């Protein structure tokens, strides 16, 4: 098989254009079919020539000798382009082309021109050129050897073929180079001595990984074999022809891959044996050298690094820096510990297969290495425990310091809450902060004790004086104790300030409580005033009921007086607390005038109510006496009449407050009802007057009696008219009041 002179990677962009391709199909003479699909775009002859050169370099000479059948698909191209391609074939592959099939389009070119041109160039071309439509191409080539572009059943994936070609060429290049290198290494070992210098050892490393190259080759071979199996199973040649193999040796050189793999496995096996022999010869010496290297570093630089790191730092930042430095030291030790583990495994493997004299030496090396590594690991672990305890101690110290600063800032800030609930919240927050500080100090003591224990229990170095470490330990102990004492003093100072602040805040709570209760007293007094004016309207139907109502009114006034006195006491307590807290009077400055204003209004209203009740009591008492006595003087009747009229006039008068505003008792309906009771009693008194006068007239004679009766009737008529007018006026006032209530309700709804 001829060597490939051109690589696909050099013309990969051109190959991706699929200007020409070998589909794997064959003509009836077993010649390969070369497809040239021409597109409607202008085809570059240079790129097409490069593609053909590459494709024709793939098949073997034997395959080329059977000739090619070229299918020029001109259905999407112009005749001039087809003609140029056909003429170019004689320069590219004149001996190999046996037949050129030009697939013509449905709308054929000018027959005269095409026929004339082909016959003119026939002798010079050296191969037969036929024009054929796509559906008649099967006259020359079996359908199973044609792709679906021409109605055939041959599967062809250009991208897949190109990828496989790239893999094949890469494997061929790498395996050939690797075979040359392994052959040189294996042949050089035959003439060399057992002791190799470093340059000879470096020559044992090939430029490619044999395992990777072998794996690539096996994957490629497996793919080729699978495709061949599928191709043989999937379609046979038409009319008893040979079975079609789409990835046959002419295209992808499967035998070449197998040959390269066999040679590569042979050389790689020799190379592995050579490496095993060299490793066996040098492993013992290398182990001894590495053991001494590990021991020397751990006892020398490694120990010195640890001895220079004995402090615990004075803050979380310094402790973190020490931790970072320790991690760097641990990282350096980890590299040597990894070497120790590897050496220990190697020694264990050699002990099971080594000779007797080698076993004793290996055991001594193993024991020495283990002692040094375990001792150094113990030092590292002890130092790590100290640093972790130090970080915990410094972190807790920093948190406690911040908590104390926050508590101190809260204690130094002015207390100006909006209400008692806010003070309670601040007081709760203050207590919580104090509890947090207490918990933080307890945690600090615990972590400080742990750090002291870790610091004082560090393992000593072998054959080393303990004076210097003791000094560093003493400094660390003094620092830890100093920090805990300082935090205890700061916490005690904050506790003292918290006690003072707690007392002040409790006083403020009491202050706000007094102010709130004083406002409540004002509200209560306002409600009593509102109840007095709206509901205390009735005057009683008789003296007994009026006397009862007067007693209740006095008790009602006593309740209001107690409420007013309670509010005054609260406001006085507010003033005292404000003076104690050195703050100006807050809401009490507005509450006291309100309290006094409401109390004055209540006092005026209560006084008016009491006067009306006393006047009503006098009226009912006099009326009842007149009505119950058999002999009544005219003066007594006149007195009752005068008291009734005065009471009626008093009911129509409003209460005038100190600020000049006016307010009526109850609604007009309630006032009318109270006046109606008085008028009814007046009517009874007047009837009593008539009865007495009738008796007198009966004694004085009929004439005078008639005169008197006429006068009394006229008087009764006048009183009846007055009562009638009053009832009409009351009904009008009641209608107006109802209209006002309806208007107010509508306004609220809006």
């Amino acid at each position: 098989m001829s060597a490939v002179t051109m690589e696909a990677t050099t013309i990969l962009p051109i190959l991706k254009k699929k200007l020409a391709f070998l589909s794997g199909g064959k003509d009836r003479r077993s010649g390969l079919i070369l497809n040239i699909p021409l597109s409607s775009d202008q085809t570059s002859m240079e790129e097409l020539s490069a593609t053909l050169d590459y494709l024709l370099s793939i098949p073997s000479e034997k395959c080329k000798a059977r000739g090619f059948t070229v299918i020029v698909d001109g259905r999407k191209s112009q005749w001039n382009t087809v003609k140029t391609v056909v003429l170019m074939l004689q320069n590219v592959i004149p001996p190999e082309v046996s037949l050129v099939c030009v697939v013509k389009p449905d709308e054929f070119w000018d027959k005269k021109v095409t026929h004339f041109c082909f016959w003119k160039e026939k002798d010079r071309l050296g191969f037969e050129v036929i024009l054929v439509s796509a559906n008649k191409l099967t006259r020359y080539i079996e359908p199973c050897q044609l792709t679906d572009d021409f109605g055939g059943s041959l599967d062809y994936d250009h991208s897949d073929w190109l990828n496989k070609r790239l893999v094949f060429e890469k494997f061929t290049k790498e395996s050939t180079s690797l075979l040359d290198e392994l052959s040189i290494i294996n042949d050089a070992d035959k003439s060399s001595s057992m002791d190799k210098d470093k340059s000879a050892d470096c020559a044992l490393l090939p430029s490619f990984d044999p395992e990777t190259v072998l794996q690539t080759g096996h994957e490629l071979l497996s793919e080729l074999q699978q495709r061949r199996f599928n191709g043989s199973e999937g379609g046979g040649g038409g009319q008893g022809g040979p079975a079609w193999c789409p990835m046959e040796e002419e295209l992808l050189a499967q035998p070449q891959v197998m040959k390269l793999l066999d040679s590569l496995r042979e050389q790689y096996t020799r190379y592995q044996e050579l490496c095993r022999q060299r490793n066996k010869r040098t492993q013992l010496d290398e182990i001894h050298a590495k053991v001494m290297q590990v021991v020397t570093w751990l006892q020398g630089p490694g120990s010195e690094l640890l001895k220079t790191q004995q402090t615990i730092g004075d803050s979380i930042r310094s402790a973190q820096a020490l931790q970072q430095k320790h991690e760097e030291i641990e990282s350096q030790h980890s590299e040597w510990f990894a070497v120790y583990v590897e050496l220990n495994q190697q020694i264990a493997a050699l002990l099971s297969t080594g000779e007797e004299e080698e076993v004793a030496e290996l055991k001594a090396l193993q024991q020495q290495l283990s002692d040094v590594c375990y001792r150094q690991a113990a030092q590292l672990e002890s130092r790590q425990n100290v640093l972790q305890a130090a970080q915990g101690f410094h972190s807790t110290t920093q948190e406690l310091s911040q908590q104390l600063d926050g508590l101190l800032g809260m204690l130094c800030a002015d207390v100006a809450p909006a209400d008692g609930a806010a003070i309670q919240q601040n007081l709760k927050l203050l207590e919580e902060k104090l509890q947090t500080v207490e918990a933080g100090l307890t945690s600090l003591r615990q972590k400080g004790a742990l750090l002291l224990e870790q610091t004082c229990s560090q393992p000593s170095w072998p054959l080393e004086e303990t004076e210097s470490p003791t000094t560093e330990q003493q400094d660390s102990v003094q620092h830890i104790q100093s920090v805990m004492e300082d935090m205890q003093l700061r916490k005690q100072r904050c506790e003292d300030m918290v006690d003072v602040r707690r007392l002040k805040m409790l006083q403020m709570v009491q202050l706000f409580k007094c102010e709130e209760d004083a406002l409540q007293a004002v509200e209560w007094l306002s409600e009593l005033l509102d109840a007095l004016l709206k509901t205390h309207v009735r005057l009683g139907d008789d003296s007994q009921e009026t006397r009862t109502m007067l007693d209740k009114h006095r008790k009602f006034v006593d309740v209001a007086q107690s409420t007013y006195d309670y509010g005054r006491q609260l406001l006085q307590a507010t003033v005292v607390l404000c003076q104690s807290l050195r703050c100006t009077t807050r809401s009490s400055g507005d509450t006291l005038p309100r309290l006094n204003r409401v109390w004055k209004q209540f006092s005026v209203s209560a006084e008016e109510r009491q006067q009306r009740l006393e006047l009503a009591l006098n009226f009912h008492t006099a009326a009842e006496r007149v009505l119950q006595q058999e002999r009544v003087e005219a003066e007594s009747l006149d007195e009752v009449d005068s008291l009734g009229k005065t009471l009626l006039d008093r009911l129509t008068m409003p209460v005038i407050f100190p600020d000049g505003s006016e307010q009526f008792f109850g609604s007009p309906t309630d006032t009318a009802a109270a006046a109606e009771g008085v008028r009814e009693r007046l009517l009874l008194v007047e009837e009593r007057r008539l009865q007495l006068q009738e008796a007198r007239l009966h004694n004085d004679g009929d004439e005078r009696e008639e005169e008197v009766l006429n006068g009394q009737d006229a008087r009764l008529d006048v009183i009846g008219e007055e009562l009638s007018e009053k009832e009409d006026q009351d009904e009008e006032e009641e209608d107006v009041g109802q209209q006002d209530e309806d208007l107010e309700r509508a306004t609220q709804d809006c």
Side-chain angles (χ1 to χ4, degrees):
M1 181 175 294
S2 62
V4 178
T5 59
M6 184 184 298
E7 294 183 0
T9 54
T10 59
I11 60 170
L12 184 59
I14 298 176
L15 291 176
K16 289 182 178 180
K17 294 182 180 180
K18 197 181 178 182
L19 300 178
F21 62 90
L22 291 169
S23 63
K26 295 181 181 180
D27 57 20
R28 289 189 173 90
R29 294 170 296 181
S30 297
L32 295 178
I33 297 176
L34 176 63
N35 293 270
I36 303 177
L38 298 179
S39 63
S40 59
D41 299 333
Q42 186 67 28
T43 303
S44 173
M45 293 299 114
E46 294 181 358
E47 293 181 351
L48 178 58
S49 178
T51 303
L52 293 174
D53 290 341
Y54 175 76
L55 292 176
L56 295 175
S57 66
I58 296 175
S60 63
E61 294 299 330
K62 180 181 178 181
C63 182
K64 291 181 181 179
R66 293 197 294 266
F68 288 88
T69 293
V70 181
I71 300 177
V72 180
D73 189 359
R75 290 177 293 178
K76 297 181 181 179
S77 182
Q78 300 294 327
W79 164 247
N80 291 333
T81 303
V82 174
K83 178 182 176 182
T84 303
V85 172
V86 172
L87 293 175
M88 184 187 67
L89 292 178
Q90 68 175 343
N91 299 324
V92 179
I93 47 172
E96 288 81 4
V97 177
S98 58
L99 176 63
V100 175
C101 295
V102 177
V103 181
K104 59 184 180 180
D106 295 336
E107 296 180 359
F108 193 42
W109 307 296
D110 191 335
K111 293 184 178 180
K112 182 178 181 181
V113 174
T114 55
H115 184 268
F116 173 79
C117 291
F118 274 123
W119 280 101
K120 183 180 178 180
E121 302 294 339
K122 180 178 180 180
D123 296 335
R124 189 162 58 88
L125 289 175
F127 48 79
E128 182 182 2
V129 180
I130 61 173
L131 292 174
V132 64
S133 58
N135 56 357
K136 294 182 180 181
L137 192 60
T138 54
R139 294 179 180 179
Y140 307 95
I141 303 172
E142 295 296 333
C144 62
Q145 305 297 327
L146 293 174
T147 61
D148 58 355
D149 294 336
F150 305 109
S153 60
L154 177 63
D155 290 333
Y156 175 75
D157 188 341
H158 187 70
S159 298
D160 180 69
W161 175 87
L162 185 56
N163 292 334
K164 294 298 183 298
R165 191 66 196 174
L166 292 173
V167 173
F168 168 73
E169 291 182 359
K170 180 176 181 294
F171 168 72
T172 303
K173 181 179 179 180
E174 292 181 354
S175 60
T176 303
S177 176
L178 183 59
L179 280 173
D180 294 339
E181 293 178 1
L182 292 178
S183 179
I184 293 173
I185 294 173
N186 293 333
D187 293 341
D189 184 68
K190 295 179 180 179
S191 59
S192 62
S193 61
M194 297 297 295
D195 295 332
K196 294 291 183 180
D197 56 8
K198 294 183 179 179
S199 61
D201 291 339
C202 293
L204 292 175
L205 297 176
S207 57
F208 296 101
D209 180 21
E211 295 288 347
T212 303
V213 177
L214 283 171
Q215 182 180 359
T216 303
H218 285 299
E219 292 175 355
L220 177 60
L221 182 60
S222 176
E223 179 68 21
L224 296 179
Q225 292 173 343
Q226 181 68 24
R227 288 177 60 85
R228 181 169 186 176
F229 173 77
N230 293 339
S232 300
E233 184 181 40
Q239 298 179 358
W244 169 65
C245 304
M247 302 301 288
E248 210 170 9
E249 61 178 2
E250 291 87 352
L251 296 179
L252 292 179
Q254 177 179 334
Q256 184 178 354
V257 175
M258 297 176 64
K259 183 178 179 180
L260 287 173
L261 284 174
D262 292 339
S263 301
L264 188 58
R265 279 193 292 266
E266 180 182 356
Q267 291 294 334
Y268 184 49
T269 301
R270 292 178 56 193
Y271 173 74
Q272 288 178 320
E273 182 63 25
L274 173 63
C275 291
R276 282 193 293 269
Q277 291 176 0
R278 285 174 178 259
N279 289 337
K280 187 176 180 180
R281 289 193 301 265
T282 59
Q283 192 172 13
L284 185 60
D285 294 338
E286 290 177 354
I287 288 177
H288 185 275
K290 289 182 179 179
V291 167
M292 298 310 299
Q293 188 179 7
V294 173
V295 171
T296 301
W297 190 89
L298 292 178
Q299 291 181 342
S303 298
E304 292 300 325
L305 286 174
L306 281 176
K307 290 178 182 178
T308 58
Q309 300 292 319
Q310 296 295 323
T311 60
I312 62 172
D314 56 358
S315 64
I316 182 63
R317 181 174 298 179
S318 61
Q320 290 175 349
L322 290 173
Q323 176 65 33
Q324 183 177 1
K325 181 64 178 176
H326 181 72
E327 290 175 356
E328 294 175 359
I329 296 174
E330 279 188 334
S331 177
Q332 298 178 26
H333 279 75
S334 298
E335 297 176 1
W336 292 100
F337 288 154
V339 176
Y340 158 71
V341 173
E342 181 181 357
L343 288 174
N344 204 25
Q345 294 175 352
Q346 294 176 3
I347 292 174
L350 292 176
L351 285 174
S352 60
T353 59
E355 298 180 359
E356 186 175 350
E357 60 274 9
E358 295 175 349
V359 170
E361 182 181 358
L362 288 173
K363 286 185 177 180
L365 288 174
Q366 188 179 39
Q367 186 63 39
Q368 181 183 9
L369 182 63
S370 298
D371 292 343
V372 174
C373 288
Y374 279 114
R375 184 166 57 249
Q376 199 74 359
Q379 292 287 351
L380 286 171
E381 183 179 5
S382 176
R383 176 61 179 167
Q384 178 64 32
N385 293 336
V386 171
L387 289 176
Q388 289 180 351
Q391 288 189 68
F393 176 77
H394 291 309
S395 176
T396 305
T397 301
Q398 181 175 338
E399 293 177 0
L400 180 58
S401 180
Q402 293 174 353
Q403 292 168 359
L404 288 170
D405 292 340
L407 180 58
L408 183 60
M410 185 177 180
L411 292 171
C412 294
D414 292 335
V415 181
D419 51 25
I423 295 180
Q424 293 284 4
Q425 185 66 25
N426 289 339
L427 184 59
K428 180 180 179 182
L429 179 61
L430 188 66
E431 296 292 346
E432 290 176 353
K433 284 184 175 293
L434 185 61
Q435 293 177 1
T436 303
V437 168
E438 181 64 33
L441 185 60
T442 302
S443 177
L444 181 65
R445 293 193 187 101
Q446 295 174 353
K447 294 184 178 180
L450 176 62
L451 181 57
L452 288 173
E453 180 182 356
Q454 294 286 349
T455 302
C456 297
S457 61
Q458 296 185 59
S460 59
W461 295 95
L463 303 177
E464 187 81 14
E465 295 183 358
T466 59
E467 296 177 354
S468 179
T470 301
T471 302
E472 294 177 352
Q473 290 177 359
Q474 289 178 353
D475 293 340
S476 299
V477 169
Q478 291 177 359
H479 175 71
I480 296 169
Q481 294 175 346
S482 175
V483 169
M484 290 193 294
E485 292 175 357
D486 179 62
M487 290 299 168
Q488 177 63 38
L489 291 176
R490 291 180 60 185
K491 185 252 185 183
Q492 186 61 45
R493 288 195 295 269
C494 286
E495 280 185 341
D496 296 340
M497 297 179 66
V498 166
D499 293 338
V500 176
R501 175 55 62 89
R502 184 186 295 110
L503 178 60
K504 182 176 181 180
M505 295 180 77
L506 290 176
Q507 289 180 340
M508 294 190 70
V509 170
Q510 188 176 3
L511 170 63
F512 277 108
K513 182 62 176 175
C514 290
E515 291 179 349
E516 292 175 0
D517 292 347
L519 289 174
Q520 186 63 50
V522 174
E523 295 297 329
W524 289 343
L525 197 58
S526 299
E527 292 175 359
L528 292 175
L529 174 61
D530 188 62
L532 175 62
L533 292 174
K534 290 183 178 180
T535 61
H536 293 205
V537 181
R538 293 184 66 254
L539 300 176
D541 296 334
D542 52 31
S543 60
Q544 183 64 32
E545 184 180 2
T546 303
R547 187 175 291 104
T548 302
M549 295 179 68
L550 186 60
D551 294 337
K552 290 183 178 180
H553 175 72
R554 292 192 180 98
K555 293 179 181 179
F556 184 79
V557 173
D558 292 339
V559 172
Q561 181 69 49
S562 300
T563 304
Y564 172 71
D565 295 340
Y566 175 64
R568 293 279 298 183
Q569 293 173 1
L570 290 173
L571 292 176
Q572 291 176 358
T574 301
V575 174
V576 174
L577 289 173
C578 287
Q579 292 175 352
S580 175
L581 294 171
R582 295 185 176 88
C583 64
T584 58
T585 303
R586 299 168 58 85
S587 60
S588 59
D590 178 55
T591 306
L592 182 59
R594 289 178 57 193
L595 180 64
N596 291 332
R597 182 174 62 255
V598 174
W599 173 246
K600 290 179 180 178
Q601 293 176 353
F602 182 86
S603 299
V604 172
S605 301
E607 180 65 24
E608 176 64 22
R609 172 64 175 170
Q610 183 170 352
Q611 290 179 3
R612 292 185 181 186
L613 288 173
E614 290 176 351
L615 184 59
L617 179 61
N618 294 334
F619 168 72
H620 286 300
T621 302
E624 291 172 355
R625 185 172 57 251
V626 169
L627 294 174
Q628 293 174 359
Q629 292 179 356
E630 294 181 358
R631 297 181 59 85
V632 180
E633 298 294 334
E635 290 80 5
S636 298
L637 295 173
D638 294 338
E639 180 184 1
V640 173
D641 190 48
S642 176
L643 288 173
K645 291 181 178 181
T646 303
L647 183 57
L648 290 174
D649 293 339
R650 197 66 174 263
L651 290 175
T652 60
M653 296 174 59
V655 180
I656 301 176
F657 296 137
D659 58 357
S661 59
E662 297 180 353
Q663 180 70 41
F664 287 92
F665 277 95
S667 64
T669 303
D670 297 334
T671 304
E676 182 64 23
V678 175
R679 291 190 184 95
E680 291 177 355
R681 182 57 63 94
L682 286 175
L683 287 176
L684 293 176
V685 172
E686 193 62 29
E687 290 177 358
R688 178 62 173 166
R689 182 192 299 272
L690 291 177
Q691 293 176 0
L692 294 175
Q693 290 179 355
E694 287 176 357
R696 292 192 186 98
L697 289 175
H698 182 71
N699 296 328
D700 294 339
D702 294 335
E703 185 177 346
R704 187 175 180 180
E705 179 181 359
E706 183 178 359
E707 181 181 355
V708 172
L709 287 175
N710 291 333
Q712 293 299 328
D713 291 336
R715 188 167 183 175
L716 287 175
D717 292 336
V718 173
I719 293 175
E721 290 177 358
E722 289 179 356
L723 288 176
S724 209
E725 290 176 358
K726 187 62 177 177
E727 288 177 356
D728 295 337
Q729 183 179 0
D730 292 340
E731 289 177 357
E732 291 178 358
E733 290 178 354
E734 185 175 355
D735 293 338
V736 172
Q738 183 64 34
Q739 292 176 0
D740 292 339
E741 290 178 0
D742 295 340
L743 179 60
E744 182 179 359
R745 188 179 301 106
T747 304
Q748 291 177 355
D749 293 340
C750 293

